[in-house]
Amino acid sequence: MIKITSSFLLVCCLFFTLVMANVPLEKQLVASINQQLEQSQRLLIETVNINSGTQNFAGVKQVGMIFKQQYDALGFTTQWLDGSAFARSGHLVATYESNSSPSAPKIMLIGHLDTVFAKDDSFQVATLLDNKRIAGPGITDMKGGDVIMLAALQALHKQGLLSQMNIKVVLTGDEESSGRPLALSKQALIEAGKWADIALGFEDADGDINTAVTARRGSVGWTLSTTGNAAHSSQIFTEAVGYGAIFEMARILNDFREQLSDTPLLSFNPGIIAGGTRLTDTDASTLESFGKRNVVAQVATVKGGLRAASGQQLLETKAKMHKIVEQHLAQTDATLVFDEGYPPMQQTPGNLELLNIYSQVSLDLGYNKVSPVNPRNAGAADISFVAEHVDMAIDGLGLMGTGGHTKDEVADMTSFAQNIQKTAVLLYRLSVQQ
C-alpha cells in the first residue's frame, strides 16, 4: 500500500513535473470526454427514469445490470452480489486489474444504485428544465456520480490508458437505507477497501463543485426508553409515585443538551417522541401512544440520531450519555440503546494530499481550486466504511446540484463534463505514481 511519508510527498512533487510533459495526452482525454458527452447524458437520463428506491429490489437490480453491461464492455470482471442475506437488492462490483502495470496503485470508485424515492412516488422521471439544469429522482444522489465515474473510465479506455490501471468499482444497492446486519450489507465495500490503496467517492457532497469531502462524521441511531409509576396525576411528585416517565425523559434530554451541545463537530437529535400509559414501537419511524392528562405517564420513548467526527468522540459521547441516563428521578428507570451505524471518515494527511492532487487537476484543466468541505456539512456515506482501510480517500466528486432527497432535486449540468474530465485526469495521474 502507498504510505504517506515525506519521501512519498517528494515523489508526488517530482511526479507532477513529469505529468506536465503529458499535457497533450490529458487534452486528448478531455476531447474524448467531450465527444461522448451526449452519450453519457443519455445514459444518465435512462438510469434516472428507472425507479430504484432502496426497497424496489427489481429496479435497483435493473439499474445495476445497465452499469454491468457498460463495465463488461470495458473489459472489467463484473459480479452482481445478491442482497437477500441483508434484505436488500444487492451490489455491483466491477474489477479491472492491469497485466502490464500490476504495481500501479489500486483505486476504488464508490457509488450507489438506490435512491430515496419509492416505487409509487410521484417523482419518477427526468425533466429538462433548461440547457444547464435537469430535474430527476436521484440525478445528483447519485446516478450522476455513477455515470461520471463510468464516463471517465470509458475515456481512459479509448485513449489506451485503462490498461495500466488497477480499478475496482463498487455500486451498492442500499446506501440510502442500509441492510442489516451491516457486517453483511457493507462486506463488499470493506473487502474492496482492504484491496485498495486509494478510495474515491462520487456523492454530490454539499453541491459545490469547488469543494470535496476529506472527512465525514459517523452516524448512529439511538433509542431512549423511560418508565414510571402509573397513578392519578394528583399523586405525582409524592414519594410513592415519583416523577413519571415523561419527566424522566425530559430530564435526560435536557441534560444531553446542556452537557453535549457545545462539543465541536458533535450533533445529536431526538427525532421522534411518544409517551403515556401505553406505547407501541411500530417501526424505525413510528411510535404510537395512549394516555390521559390526569394519569402519570408510565412509559416514554425517544428515537434519535448521533453524529461524531471520530471513533474516540463517539465512544466518549456514548459514555457521557449513559452516565446521564443512570441518574434517575425518583421512582423512574431508563435505558439507552445504540444501533449499528456508519463509522466516521476521519481527516488524515493522506486525504488532504489526495485533495491537493485533485485540486491541481482542476486548476490545470482551467477550473477552480477545490477546497475541503466542513465535516459539519457532510453526512454519512458508503466511503465511511472504506476510509480506514486505505491511505488516501476523498468523496464528493459527483454531479452537483440542489434539492437532494426531495422532489426539487435538480442537477447542475455544467458540473457534469467538468467532473468527468477531472476524474479521468486524476485517475491517469494517480496511475503513473508507482
Side-chain angles (χ1 to χ4, degrees), residues 221-269:
W222 52 269
T223 301
L224 175 64
S225 301
T226 59
T227 59
N229 292 330
H232 195 282
S233 61
S234 65
Q235 300 304 301
I236 196 168
F237 309 142
T238 63
E239 184 177 345
V241 174
Y243 288 78
I246 290 179
F247 269 118
E248 170 70 343
M249 181 67 73
R251 173 198 71 82
I252 294 170
L253 293 179
N254 189 57
D255 283 355
F256 284 173
R257 179 186 64 83
E258 290 186 343
Q259 297 186 35
L260 298 171
S261 62
D262 293 333
T263 306
L265 295 180
L266 178 74
S267 62
F268 54 91
N269 176 59

Side-chain angles (χ1 to χ4, degrees), residues 275-352:
T277 306
R278 297 193 304 272
L279 189 148
T280 303
D281 187 345
T282 305
D283 56 44
S285 303
T286 305
L287 293 171
E288 297 178 356
S289 64
F290 169 83
K292 292 186 176 181
R293 297 184 184 188
N294 63 351
V295 176
V296 177
Q298 187 172 16
V299 290
T301 295
V302 164
K303 294 184 178 185
L306 170 67
R307 296 180 185 272
S310 68
Q312 184 62 32
Q313 186 180 65
L314 180 61
L315 289 174
E316 292 174 354
T317 301
K318 286 182 176 182
K320 289 178 181 178
M321 292 174 74
H322 278 298
K323 186 174 181 179
I324 290 169
V325 168
E326 292 167 359
Q327 299 167 6
H328 307 300
L329 295 174
Q331 300 295 333
T332 67
D333 200 358
T335 58
L336 175 64
V337 177
F338 290 94
D339 302 332
E340 290 185 299
Y342 279 62
M345 174 185 174
Q346 292 186 232
Q347 189 76 272
T348 68
N351 294 358
L352 293 172

Side-chain angles (χ1 to χ4, degrees), residues 73-91:
L74 294 179
F76 278 71
T77 299
T78 60
Q79 184 179 14
W80 177 258
L81 303 177
D82 180 73
S84 57
F86 47 91
R88 291 296 183 268
S89 179
H91 310 316

Side-chain angles (χ1 to χ4, degrees), residues 26-153:
E26 294 182 357
K27 287 184 176 179
Q28 291 173 33
L29 267 178
V30 170
S32 178
I33 288 164
N34 292 339
Q35 289 168 7
Q36 69 177 33
L37 199 58
E38 186 176 335
Q39 175 185 337
S40 298
Q41 184 167 313
R42 285 200 301 269
L43 178 63
L44 174 62
I45 300 302
E46 178 186 0
T47 56
V48 168
N49 286 344
I50 299 170
N51 178 277
S52 59
T54 308
Q55 296 299 329
N56 180 6
F57 292 0
V60 172
K61 186 172 183 179
Q62 184 180 354
V63 175
M65 291 302 101
I66 290 174
F67 282 106
K68 182 180 186 300
Q69 184 178 26
Q70 296 288 332
Y71 281 106
D72 285 340
L74 294 179
F76 278 71
T77 299
T78 60
Q79 184 179 14
W80 177 258
L81 303 177
D82 180 73
S84 57
F86 47 91
R88 291 296 183 268
S89 179
H91 310 316
L92 177 66
V93 177
T95 306
Y96 190 100
E97 294 188 273
S98 173
N99 291 324
S100 61
S101 303
S103 62
K106 297 176 180 177
I107 305 173
M108 177 184 181
L109 310 183
I110 304 169
H112 63 84
L113 305 165
D114 62 319
T115 75
V116 300
F117 300 96
K119 190 175 182 180
D120 59 355
D121 198 288
S122 60
F123 191 37
Q124 290 288 354
V125 297
T127 302
L128 181 65
L129 301 179
D130 53 47
N131 62 354
K132 295 182 179 179
R133 298 181 305 142
I134 300 177
I139 192 166
T140 61
D141 189 12
M142 67 165 289
K143 290 174 180 176
D146 295 335
V147 175
I148 282 173
M149 69 174 83
L150 172 65
L153 292 168

Side-chain angles (χ1 to χ4, degrees), residues 17 51 275 364:
T17 302
N51 178 277
D364 291 344

Side-chain angles (χ1 to χ4, degrees), residues 33-34 37 148 367 399 413-422:
I33 288 164
N34 292 339
L37 199 58
I148 282 173
Y367 302 125
L399 181 59
M413 295 305 293
T414 65
S415 68
F416 191 53
Q418 284 189 44
N419 279 359
I420 297 172
Q421 294 166 11
K422 289 191 288 188

